[in-house]
């Protein structure tokens, strides 16, 4: 693990000029995806803008922004879909931008996501550049951009906002900016339930740093006094980190009258929970009861195997411990949720450290060959994103 206390960040590692190639490449990939979506949707008689801003979760977020919490839908089977399941930071930003500009709530959500996706790309570059260097950082950003479900990064969803906050919190941890790390972790906790992954990363780094401080103090008596400010900042960061998620969950419990576990009841109304992956395993197994659905089952197994393999490679390559903890929690929560199986690729979008082994491999190629690989995958990703949103799309 890289020790934030002993390794200082390179002064240029987060500078816009240093990140410019990554950000320009990211913007080009996203522009291609939006162009293909617009052409595909136009040919299908649909509105690309509506697909990005006025379907699925986008509608739930804009309703929270416009009307506040309290809206719910009761289904025929007895399930209750409450908007309390959606964390508040994105709708807060939508409301703020709507009040300050002529944008509609949907337009505000789209704008927030576009800006947040750029911030996320920059954060991914900063983390990867700090750990592996600039070339790998550019490659990591481009790989994140060309993911098959990368079009979600341009939707009025919370994935881009969460990834931006998570990436910059992790960067702050790696560079010893403890208070920044804690504050961003708290904001990530107000964005999505998986904010727990950022909290876990901050806490892990803080505990490891405390242990090392005590170990060094046993041989250097003045160490604690000399490093008291750093000790205090770490403690404050660890205190700040869980406040966002804990505050919202406790508020939901108070509003519903069901106490600290009230948010779990809200999620149960959506048939969403954590069962260790049992329901997902049965979902995959059911694919093998007929053909050609068995091909989908094989694809799912290969996909899960690839995710696990990339995580193992990251461990072998000695990724910093905060990244491994963060990625492990995001992956576990995505794969082990008991519902919305089609959402799993989207839920894995914030787990960008999984791409670092691939980024290192891509960075070793000649620039021309790497550009050819990324360009080809970008075209495929753009076509798939357009096909996906014009079809079933994200649940």
């Amino acid at each position: 693990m890289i020790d934030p206390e002993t390794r200082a960040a390179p002064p240029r590692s987060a500078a816009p000029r240093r990140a410019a190639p990554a950000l320009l490449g990211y913007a080009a990939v996203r522009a291609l995806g939006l162009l293909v979506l617009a052409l595909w949707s136009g040919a299908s008689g649909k509105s690309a803008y509506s697909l990005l801003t006025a379907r699925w979760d986008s509608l739930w977020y804009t309703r929270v922004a416009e009307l506040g919490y309290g809206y719910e839908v009761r289904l025929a089977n007895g399930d209750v879909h409450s908007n309390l399941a959606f964390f508040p930071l994105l709708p807060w930003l939508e409301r703020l931008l709507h009040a300050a500009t002529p944008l509609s709530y949907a337009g505000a959500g789209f704008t927030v996501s576009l800006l947040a996706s750029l911030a996320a790309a920059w954060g991914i570059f900063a983390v990867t550049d700090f750990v592996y260097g600039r070339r790998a950082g550019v490659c990591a950003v481009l790989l994140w951009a060309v993911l098959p479900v990368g079009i979600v990064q341009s939707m009025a969803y919370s994935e881009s906002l969460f990834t931006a906050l998570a990436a910059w919190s992790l960067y702050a941890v790696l560079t010893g900016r403890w208070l920044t790390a804690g504050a961003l972790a708290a904001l990530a906790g107000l964005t999505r339930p998986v904010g727990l992954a950022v909290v876990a990363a901050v806490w892990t780094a803080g505990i490891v740093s405390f242990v090392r401080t005590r170990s060094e103090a046993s041989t250097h008596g003045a160490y604690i006094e000399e490093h008291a400010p750093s000790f205090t900042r770490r403690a404050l960061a660890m205190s700040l980190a869980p406040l966002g998620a804990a505050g919202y969950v406790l508020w939901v419990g108070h509003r519903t009258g069901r106490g600290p576990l009230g948010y779990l009841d809200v999620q149960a109304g959506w048939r969403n929970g954590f069962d260790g992956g049992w329901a997902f395993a049965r979902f995959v197994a059911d694919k093998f009861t007929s053909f050609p659905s068995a091909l989908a089952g094989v694809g799912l197994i290969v996909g899960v195997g690839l995710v696990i393999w990339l995580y193992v490679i990251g461990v072998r390559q000695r990724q910093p411990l905060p990244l491994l903890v963060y990625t492990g929690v995001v992956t576990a929560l995505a794969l082990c949720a008991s519902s919305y199986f089609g959402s799993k690729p989207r839920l894995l979008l914030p787990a960008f450290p999984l791409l670092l082994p691939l980024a290192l491999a891509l960075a070793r190629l000649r620039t021309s060959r790497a550009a050819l690989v990324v360009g080809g995958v970008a075209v495929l990703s753009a076509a798939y994103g357009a096909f996906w949103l014009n079809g079933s799309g994200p649940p």
Side-chain angles (χ1 to χ4, degrees):
M1 171 184 168
I2 293 175
D3 185 359
E5 293 298 318
T6 59
R7 175 175 172 178
R12 298 180 300 163
S13 60
R17 180 178 299 178
R18 185 171 177 83
L23 298 180
L24 290 173
Y26 178 81
V29 172
R30 289 273 46 85
L32 174 64
L34 293 174
L35 175 61
V36 173
L37 176 64
L39 294 174
W40 194 305
S41 301
S44 303
K46 297 180 181 179
S47 166
Y49 182 72
S50 295
L51 293 175
L52 293 168
T53 65
R55 292 185 70 187
W56 307 296
D57 291 3
S58 299
L59 287 175
W60 288 90
Y61 282 118
T62 55
R63 286 187 183 119
V64 173
E66 183 176 6
L67 304 173
Y69 285 105
Y71 177 81
E72 62 183 29
V73 175
R74 294 182 177 272
L75 305 184
N77 64 358
D79 290 344
V80 178
H81 288 185
S82 168
N83 65 1
L84 290 170
F86 295 87
F87 277 51
L89 186 58
L90 177 57
W92 285 349
L93 294 175
E94 290 177 350
R95 182 180 299 176
L96 178 64
L97 192 57
H98 169 74
T101 68
L103 291 171
S104 66
Y105 287 105
F110 181 62
T111 303
V112 169
S113 289
L114 287 182
L115 296 176
S117 68
L118 286 171
W122 190 1
I124 292 169
F125 170 81
V127 169
T128 312
D129 180 30
F130 180 80
V131 179
Y132 293 122
R134 186 184 190 187
R135 187 175 177 87
V138 173
C139 291
V141 170
L142 293 176
L143 287 173
W144 192 65
V146 302
L147 287 171
V149 293
I151 191 64
V152 174
Q153 297 161 17
S154 300
M155 296 179 68
Y157 272 42
S158 60
E159 274 79 6
S160 290
L161 179 60
F162 175 80
T163 304
L165 294 168
W168 283 107
S169 180
L170 291 169
Y171 177 74
V173 166
L174 294 176
T175 56
R177 297 171 170 87
W178 291 100
L179 293 180
T180 300
L184 291 174
L187 291 174
L190 283 171
T191 307
R192 295 185 65 81
V194 75
L196 294 174
V198 191
V199 176
V202 172
W203 272 68
T204 299
I207 291 170
V208 169
S209 188
F210 280 136
V211 170
R212 289 179 175 174
T213 299
R214 290 182 62 85
S215 176
E216 295 185 25
S218 65
T219 55
H220 304 284
Y223 188 85
I224 292 290
E225 293 182 6
E226 292 174 359
H227 292 75
S230 178
F231 183 94
T232 302
R233 287 194 295 271
R234 292 197 301 269
L236 285 174
M238 294 174 68
S239 300
L240 279 173
L243 292 183
Y248 181 68
V249 167
L250 291 175
W251 178 80
V252 170
H254 174 73
R255 183 182 175 97
T256 60
R258 298 170 186 171
L261 300 181
Y263 183 76
L264 297 181
D265 293 336
V266 170
Q267 286 285 9
W270 287 79
R271 293 186 179 271
N272 200 14
F274 186 89
D275 66 356
W278 174 244
F280 183 46
R282 286 187 298 162
F283 172 77
V284 174
D286 287 343
K287 296 293 182 183
F288 291 93
T289 59
S290 63
F291 187 86
S293 67
L295 297 177
V298 172
L300 289 169
I301 292 174
V302 171
V304 172
L306 177 61
V307 167
I308 295 173
W309 178 74
L310 288 174
Y311 186 78
V312 171
I313 294 298
V315 173
R316 290 179 177 175
Q317 291 178 343
R318 299 177 63 84
Q319 284 185 15
L321 185 58
L323 297 189
L324 293 174
V325 170
Y326 166 77
T327 307
V329 175
V330 171
T331 302
L333 290 176
L335 295 181
C336 297
S338 60
S339 188
Y340 296 102
F341 306 115
S343 294
K344 294 191 183 297
R346 172 173 67 85
L347 298 178
L348 284 168
L349 269 178
F352 68 88
L354 288 173
L355 299 173
L356 299 192
L358 298 177
L360 286 174
L362 187 63
R364 297 188 189 104
L365 299 179
R366 292 181 179 179
T367 300
S368 58
R369 185 171 297 180
L372 184 63
V373 171
V374 171
V377 177
V379 171
L380 294 175
S381 175
Y384 177 78
F387 166 77
W388 187 43
L389 288 196
N390 277 276
S392 60

